[in-house]
Amino acid sequence: MIVNSTEVQNNFGKYLMLAAQEDIIITRNGREIARLSALKDPLSDFGETPGTVMEKAEAYGYGGRKASYEEFLELTKDNEERYEYIDGEIYFLASPKTAHQIALTELFVIFYNWFQGKDCTPLVAPYDITLKRNAENINVVQPDIMVICDLAEKLDKNDYYQGVPSLVVEILSEGTRSKDLIKKLDLYMSCGVREYWIVNPLNKEVTIYLFEDKDIRNHTTYRKHETAPSYIFTGLSVELDRIFKY
């Protein structure tokens, strides 16, 4: 199916459902710029059957023909929907579920209180973070929580942050777990993030990665009833019973 970008933007939910059945070719000014297709889940050990459609209308990539960074900007400008752009693929971010939002709220309160009076600032989504693997590979993500320690120095003239957060938190959902566990882990590690928290409300676990020299230096998984401490911020810790209430 071939559809122009204006039609897709105005009826995104409709085309998300159709993409589970067939690829949607997206055009602008008569030129093909992207393909909307359902992703396949490589993580069969998380309970999905290999080859089944994943993302469940929560996060879809414009797969197949990859979009350029300029095409991503053009496709998403003046659009109130939330998107991420990773390694040439565009991902739609839909409204999260209750467990996700409870974990996000509790975590951000803990982070906000702990960082009061300190040099670093915790921020919460939606907030674009632009990460560059190199000059040609530009990515735009919206972590659930990010801790930024050079905010004043890295704001551009339009009030957008152009640096790399020290710590990033992603809260998994059924639709975004493969992206968060694989694509984003590699992206954050490669682009200079020092610590990455993966919060899993489904299994009530938190895994914390410490990155050094674009590699995993250490990682630990904490489970319900345990307390998860930060590697890089001494004294910052989270009781998992507080963020996993249901």
Side-chain angles (χ1 to χ4, degrees):
M1 181 183 297
I2 300 177
V3 185
N4 67 60
S5 60
T6 300
E7 170 68 12
V8 173
Q9 290 176 2
N10 292 337
N11 300 279
F12 200 86
K14 168 186 173 182
Y15 290 105
L16 285 181
M17 299 300 294
L18 290 174
Q21 307 299 322
E22 62 177 302
D23 287 355
I24 309 296
I25 306 299
I26 301 169
T27 64
R28 182 180 293 277
N29 297 325
R31 184 169 63 92
E32 294 183 4
I33 63 170
R35 176 181 289 120
L36 176 62
S37 58
L39 299 179
K40 307 301 180 182
D41 192 350
L43 302 176
S44 59
D45 56 328
F46 280 81
E48 298 285 348
T49 300
T52 61
V53 176
M54 61 166 284
E55 312 300 19
K56 309 295 187 191
E58 291 185 77
Y60 279 80
Y62 289 81
R65 179 185 181 278
K66 291 188 175 183
S68 70
Y69 178 63
E70 290 73 23
E71 290 169 340
F72 163 73
L73 295 179
E74 178 67 19
L75 186 66
T76 58
K77 75 176 183 179
D78 302 323
N79 193 322
E80 295 183 358
E81 302 286 0
R82 295 175 55 207
Y83 298 90
E84 292 183 314
Y85 180 70
I86 304 174
D87 294 332
E89 298 280 356
I90 302 174
Y91 295 88
F92 169 67
L93 302 178
S95 178
K97 295 183 179 180
T98 302
H100 179 287
Q101 291 303 90
I102 289 175
L104 174 61
T105 301
E106 293 291 343
L107 271 171
F108 186 69
V109 168
I110 293 168
F111 278 43
Y112 178 83
N113 289 333
W114 193 85
F115 281 102
Q116 286 295 295
K118 298 180 174 65
D119 293 334
C120 301
T121 302
L123 296 175
V124 67
Y127 187 73
D128 282 347
I129 296 293
T130 300
L131 299 175
K132 299 179 181 180
R133 293 185 189 271
N134 52 57
E136 290 75 35
N137 191 327
I138 303 174
N139 303 268
V140 180
V141 292
Q142 291 193 6
D144 289 302
I145 298 174
M146 61 232 81
V147 177
I148 297 173
C149 298
D150 57 356
L151 189 61
E153 295 84 358
K154 294 297 178 67
L155 288 179
D156 65 18
K157 63 181 180 180
N158 296 315
D159 198 36
Y160 289 108
Y161 177 67
Q162 298 298 331
V164 178
S166 296
L167 185 153
V168 167
V169 178
E170 296 285 2
I171 302 173
L172 301 184
S173 66
E174 292 182 3
T176 65
R177 63 193 179 198
S178 64
K179 176 160 61 76
D180 294 339
L181 288 167
I182 299 175
K183 289 182 176 291
K184 283 190 171 181
L185 187 150
D186 180 69
L187 178 67
Y188 294 147
M189 180 176 62
S190 300
C191 292
V193 173
R194 296 177 59 197
E195 185 167 311
Y196 180 32
W197 291 41
I198 298 178
V199 179
N200 189 342
L202 304 173
N203 295 338
K204 296 181 172 54
E205 296 179 347
V206 173
T207 299
I208 303 178
Y209 289 88
L210 175 65
F211 299 141
E212 287 186 7
D213 299 323
K214 298 184 179 181
D215 200 357
I216 297 173
R217 174 64 183 272
N218 205 347
H219 72 282
T220 306
T221 297
Y222 302 91
R223 295 171 176 81
K224 193 171 173 60
H225 309 311
E226 296 181 337
T227 297
S230 168
Y231 283 112
I232 65 173
F233 295 110
T234 303
L236 174 63
S237 63
V238 173
E239 296 178 1
L240 269 61
D241 284 345
R242 178 169 175 179
I243 64 174
F244 299 135
K245 293 188 175 181
Y246 299 101

